[in-house]
Amino acid sequence: MNKSLFLAIVDRLSQEFEFFQLKEDASGRSTLSPLQKCTAAIRQLAYGGAANAIDEYVRMAETTARKCLHHFTAGIIHLFGDEYLRHPTPEDLERLLAVGEQRGFPGMIGSIDCMHWEWKNCPAAWKGMYSHGTDKPTIVLEAVAGQDLWIWHAFFGAPGTLNDLNILDRSPVFDEIINGNAPEVHFHVNGREYDLAYYLVDDVERAFGVLQARFAVVRNPSNLWDKNKLGNIMRACIILHNMIVENERDSYLRTSEFQQGEDDDPSFVVRRNTNIRTTLGRRADVRDTAGYLQLKEDLIEDIWAKYGHLPNLPNDM
């Protein structure tokens, strides 16, 4: 995170939340500044250390540093969550579909996978529910990420004993489609038309790696007891990650600037939802096994038709 982005966050928090505003104590001395409080919070997220590890750096006690962390994460979610952890708009979907088609997967709008975060201080009564295969309890994050590492969906809190399919069954990732709120998508693969976009599975490791590299707090075992506070930390890290992605990308084509060229003939169409189908009908479409197998076969044929003529790369490349 560069300095200008961090200072913008500090300024916004100091304007919106009383906790981050500069005050005076009973003796007339100034209390901790907004910069000190936000620095204490961001260092705990970035380095994953204990709250008392920053007492000399920002001259702050352990209890105050922990309060700064929880107020900071709650403030980030409140101020920036709607913008940086939103559902894709029709313009977003057009860009995601264009990127997917360029990479050889027409109709693909991202990749979905799960990540486990070790919960070191999980309550003893819950350890059996959150431990799978080992004696280390974990909490699962399900995420959808695009090619540019922007995370579009985050579902956190499932116990580590669940596998990916169980978590997907609990996840709200398809709720917008089932409830009729998601934009309609139409695309062609191998000459056949489809009206539901799809995700690739087990292809988000790069996004998880970058998220953990930026915020060691979600890479190291968590020492907190409160599951709700753990959820706030994870969501705040994802929001900050998306803010960094937007701030640092140079070749990224912003949503408002995305336009199809006059000579382009895309194989997809995105429209506002007409909400004609029933909820049960949309749920059946999402769970259509025959449609999934047909799409899989069409993708194989489409990829082979486009790239099958290319020579194989040497084994040492």
Side-chain angles (χ1 to χ4, degrees), residues 11-24:
D11 182 65
R12 185 76 184 277
L13 288 172
S14 63
Q15 292 179 7
E16 300 288 340
F17 294 95
E18 183 180 359
F19 178 82
F20 291 100
Q21 294 173 358
L22 186 63
K23 302 177 182 178
E24 292 184 353

Side-chain angles (χ1 to χ4, degrees), residues 36-83:
Q36 283 178 288
K37 294 179 179 179
C38 292
T39 300
I42 202 70
R43 285 182 68 88
Q44 292 178 74
L45 295 177
Y47 298 110
N52 61 359
I54 58 173
D55 53 356
E56 294 184 1
Y57 186 80
V58 292
R59 297 189 176 186
M60 185 180 298
E62 177 183 1
T63 303
T64 307
R66 191 176 293 113
K67 286 182 179 180
C68 291
L69 173 63
H70 298 315
H71 280 277
F72 182 83
T73 55
I76 290 293
I77 295 171
H78 177 76
L79 294 178
F80 305 105
D82 292 340
E83 179 180 358

Side-chain angles (χ1 to χ4, degrees), residues 166-183:
N166 298 141
I167 294 171
L168 183 64
D169 191 55
R170 295 186 176 195
S171 169
V173 64
F174 297 120
D175 284 2
E176 290 291 300
I177 298 175
I178 294 174
N179 295 330
N181 299 324

Side-chain angles (χ1 to χ4, degrees), residues 267-313:
S267 61
F268 60 86
V269 177
V270 179
R271 301 190 183 96
R272 294 288 181 181
N273 200 306
T274 56
N275 203 20
I276 298 177
R277 300 290 305 277
T278 63
T279 300
L280 293 178
R282 290 187 292 267
R283 183 184 293 274
D285 291 342
V286 170
R287 296 175 175 268
D288 185 10
T289 303
Y292 157 75
L293 295 175
Q294 184 63 61
L295 174 60
K296 183 178 179 180
E297 293 179 3
D298 286 339
L299 282 172
I300 293 173
E301 295 296 330
D302 186 73
I303 292 173
W304 178 257
K306 291 179 179 178
Y307 307 107
H309 65 282
L310 298 177
N312 293 328
L313 294 176

